Amino acid sequence: MLYYMNELTISNIILIISGELLFFFMMIFSIFSLKEKESKAASRALLLAIILPIPYLLIALIAFPFQKEAVLFLIILTALVLIVLFFPTKRFKVAEKESPEYKYDERDIVFSRRHLKTETERYDEYYSNHHDKKKPDDNFRSKPGLLSPESNMYNPFTFASASASFIAVSGFHDLVDGDVSDTKVESDPLKISNYIKNWSKKLGALNTGITELKEYHKYSHAGRRKSYGEPVILNHKFAIAFTVEMDKYQVGCAPAGPTVMESAQQYFESGAVAVQVAAFIRNLGYPARAHIDGNYQVLCPLIARDAGLGEIGRMGLLMTPNLGPRVRISVVTTDLPLVIDDRNYEHSTIDFCEKCRKCAVNCPPKAISFDSRKEINGVSRWKIDSEACYTYWCVAGTDCAKCMSVCPYSHPDNMLHNFVRAGIRNSSVFRKFAVMMDDFFYGKKPKSLEILEWMRIDNEK
Ligand code: SF4
Ligand code: SF4
């Protein structure tokens, strides 16, 4: 038998409002998901919008023995769940040993090693000192390679677009450094730092941070182009890191062509920001060098981390607060006096990665560790199997990015996901809950998104 409105007690009304709030929240989630083209999340949220309020409404509106007690029980249970989920938990410290005391050698990264050719002096010299790398390297060099027509993901149009963007980025290589104006323009470090941050955003940067340039930020030796094997001499005092956003949908197509197309495009965008800011600083009379795709003297993720732009997560990429790893980074090093940003120690990102492992589950060649972060060569970190990852790239023909596409931090920067991100920052229990909910709404192994309609061209005709 239904109550009449005037017979409803305060507790019954609270229960009805709770049910309606649940309904509205899940409906908003469903609408946002539809707009984000996440059909699975949209349908599951819609289902929950229908199911979740039912016990609230039934218990509040239908009379039965012990109804009063049931109403109170559900109110207390709901309040307890909210308290447990949202109550701030103690923050642990990010590991102290988070930075190496040595420099990385650019010759050791897979992008340098892929260029080593058999029966050359460089090849013989490298592998006489690195026996363990010869077999995996010969293996990835035997595969079709990035953007190859023989690769698994080959698509003439998306691959040609990616190649065009990489060609455009390489056009910046001669612009990374240049003449410094003889006339030095003095400026207030705080104001010029602020100017660079605002201007770089107008140029297309998502975020900009400044840090002191440390020894471990720099490569010890160059690993590419004519300067191969030469020591890196870089005595600048400051480093400015820029992030640019990668398109969510195209990343969602990983590991297919639209993803490498977007990677290449954002290398171009981040490169354009860096070469312009470097030229600007040189125009003011101070040395400055841009570090962009294919022409780095520094490790961009470590600089970006120290400049307060994020943490390094399980997949070894910079995890930014609002887009996770779905960014590209470029850097400018300079002597222009600047004001540095605080390192933004965000324990919750590391803790979330400890609990999540979604990138490791979805990585096609299982190149990402499932273990806890541990000390490797004196640094507390996760290490990916870069040979396995790169071999997969050479087979797929793209830079894969499946890990980036499934990462719960990669969801769009909007009100809904930022609400979840706030919970993740706040509470350890919420982090566990968020991992489960991400799996529930988007799937433990989310399917790759379909290539966009306008990218589909029948090249047989
Ligand atoms: S998928 Fe999960 S474990 Fe991997 S980087 Fe993202 S948050 Fe961390
Ligand atoms: S890019 Fe692909 S292969 Fe490499 S770590 Fe990520 S998921 Fe694995």
Side-chain angles (χ1 to χ4, degrees):
M1 170 189 141
L2 288 182
Y3 276 104
Y4 292 105
M5 281 307 286
N6 59 5
E7 290 180 36
L8 287 176
T9 63
I10 296 280
S11 8
N12 292 48
I13 292 170
I14 291 174
L15 210 54
I16 292 168
I17 293 173
S18 307
E20 285 177 351
L21 284 176
L22 269 175
F23 172 77
F24 282 119
F25 183 76
M26 293 321 300
M27 281 307 289
I28 290 171
F29 196 151
S30 183
I31 292 164
F32 268 72
S33 302
L34 263 187
K35 280 179 78 180
E36 291 165 12
K37 300 191 175 61
E38 297 282 4
S39 51
K40 185 174 200 166
S43 54
R44 291 196 167 187
L46 183 64
L47 189 69
L48 288 187
I50 297 164
I51 293 174
L52 285 180
I54 290 175
Y56 288 81
L57 298 181
L58 289 183
I59 291 175
L61 294 172
I62 297 177
F64 61 94
F66 303 110
Q67 186 201 18
K68 210 169 151 192
E69 289 76 9
V71 167
L72 271 177
F73 174 76
L74 198 51
I75 291 175
I76 292 169
L77 185 71
T78 307
L80 276 178
V81 169
L82 290 177
I83 290 169
V84 168
L85 281 181
F86 291 97
F87 191 77
T89 45
K90 199 170 158 254
R91 305 197 152 212
F92 64 81
K93 229 174 151 237
V94 173
E96 279 164 17
K97 289 183 178 172
E98 56 156 20
S99 303
E101 283 171 8
Y102 52 89
K103 292 182 185 178
Y104 288 98
D105 189 330
E106 197 189 16
R107 290 173 294 185
D108 289 336
I109 65 170
V110 286
F111 306 112
S112 303
R113 282 147 52 194
R114 75 175 167 155
H115 291 301
L116 294 174
K117 291 197 170 52
T118 47
E119 294 174 17
T120 62
E121 203 181 311
R122 203 174 269 184
Y123 179 99
D124 292 340
E125 190 198 334
Y126 187 80
Y127 292 110
S128 63
N129 295 322
H130 302 87
H131 301 283
D132 55 320
K133 294 197 170 91
K134 187 172 178 305
K135 201 171 162 201
D137 290 11
D138 285 342
N139 182 37
F140 66 62
R141 278 188 296 259
S142 72
K143 308 295 178 204
L146 207 60
L147 301 182
S148 164
E150 278 77 48
S151 60
N152 287 353
M153 298 286 158
Y154 178 64
N155 172 305
F157 304 103
T158 55
F159 275 35
S161 297
S163 172
S165 299
F166 281 127
I167 289 168
V169 184
S170 66
F172 289 150
H173 285 181
D174 289 338
L175 305 175
V176 295
D177 210 344
D179 295 335
V180 177
S181 168
D182 295 334
T183 320
K184 202 168 249 181
V185 181
E186 301 291 341
S187 58
D188 174 65
L190 184 60
K191 287 194 171 158
I192 195 69
S193 302
N194 194 35
Y195 184 104
I196 289 172
K197 286 181 182 176
N198 281 290
W199 186 49
S200 57
K201 283 183 186 164
K202 282 198 86 64
L203 295 177
L206 172 78
N207 229 329
T208 300
I210 302 171
T211 187
E212 202 183 320
L213 184 64
K214 305 255 176 53
E215 286 304 300
Y216 64 81
H217 290 150
K218 308 176 208 170
Y219 283 124
S220 63
H221 293 80
R224 299 197 240 189
R225 299 172 306 282
K226 282 181 283 185
S227 53
Y228 184 94
E230 290 175 14
V232 170
I233 313 283
L234 185 70
N235 295 320
H236 294 154
K237 292 191 185 71
F238 299 100
I240 312 166
F242 312 97
T243 52
V244 295
E245 179 174 359
M246 292 177 70
D247 180 76
K248 170 83 176 100
Y249 192 92
Q250 280 186 243
V251 170
C253 298
T259 309
V260 69
M261 193 173 154
E262 177 62 6
S263 287
Q265 175 62 23
Q266 296 314 324
Y267 277 126
F268 174 80
E269 302 286 350
S270 60
V273 175
V275 293
Q276 287 177 91
V277 171
F280 161 76
I281 295 174
R282 292 195 298 273
N283 289 343
L284 297 180
Y286 296 87
R289 187 201 196 275
H291 302 266
I292 65 171
D293 178 58
N295 198 331
Y296 301 105
Q297 289 186 331
V298 295
L299 289 101
C300 294
L302 288 184
I303 289 181
R305 180 200 66 182
D306 292 352
L309 300 185
E311 289 287 352
I312 309 293
R314 180 180 290 276
M315 64 177 88
L317 300 179
L318 180 78
M319 302 282 288
T320 60
N322 286 9
L323 291 177
R326 197 163 49 81
V327 294
R328 286 287 175 237
I329 315 166
S330 63
V331 161
V332 167
T333 53
T334 181
D335 280 339
L336 172 73
L338 296 167
V339 174
I340 61 169
D341 293 300
D342 289 335
R343 160 90 168 82
N344 181 21
Y345 292 95
E346 190 46 75
H347 77 291
S348 63
T349 311
I350 304 299
D351 191 42
F352 191 81
C353 277
E354 288 286 1
K355 296 175 164 60
C356 171
R357 300 181 177 87
K358 200 161 186 170
C359 51
V361 168
N362 283 275
C363 171
K366 295 285 169 270
I368 301 175
S369 165
F370 282 83
D371 296 342
S372 285
R373 205 162 77 135
K374 57 180 173 225
E375 208 174 300
I376 300 167
N377 295 334
V379 183
S380 187
R381 57 181 291 214
W382 285 283
K383 188 177 184 314
I384 76 155
D385 180 343
S386 54
E387 286 89 11
C389 170
Y390 191 66
T391 305
Y392 183 78
W393 290 21
C394 292
V395 174
T398 70
D399 57 354
C400 176
K402 190 69 192 171
C403 46
M404 183 188 286
S405 78
V406 301
C407 178
Y409 272 98
S410 283
H411 293 303
D413 181 5
N414 60 31
M415 201 177 71
L416 176 78
H417 296 296
N418 287 341
F419 171 74
V420 178
R421 289 183 182 107
I424 286 174
R425 268 194 291 278
N426 198 39
S427 154
S428 169
V429 182
F430 191 94
R431 290 194 275 282
K432 273 194 194 135
F433 178 70
V435 170
M436 286 192 300
M437 286 299 101
D438 201 87
D439 286 350
F440 173 76
F441 285 113
Y442 301 95
K444 210 171 175 59
K445 291 187 165 190
K447 275 197 200 142
S448 302
L449 299 177
E450 292 290 324
I451 181 168
L452 286 159
E453 184 61 39
W454 63 265
M455 293 179 188
R456 286 185 213 153
I457 303 177
D458 183 359
N459 65 316
E460 304 282 304
K461 284 181 184 166

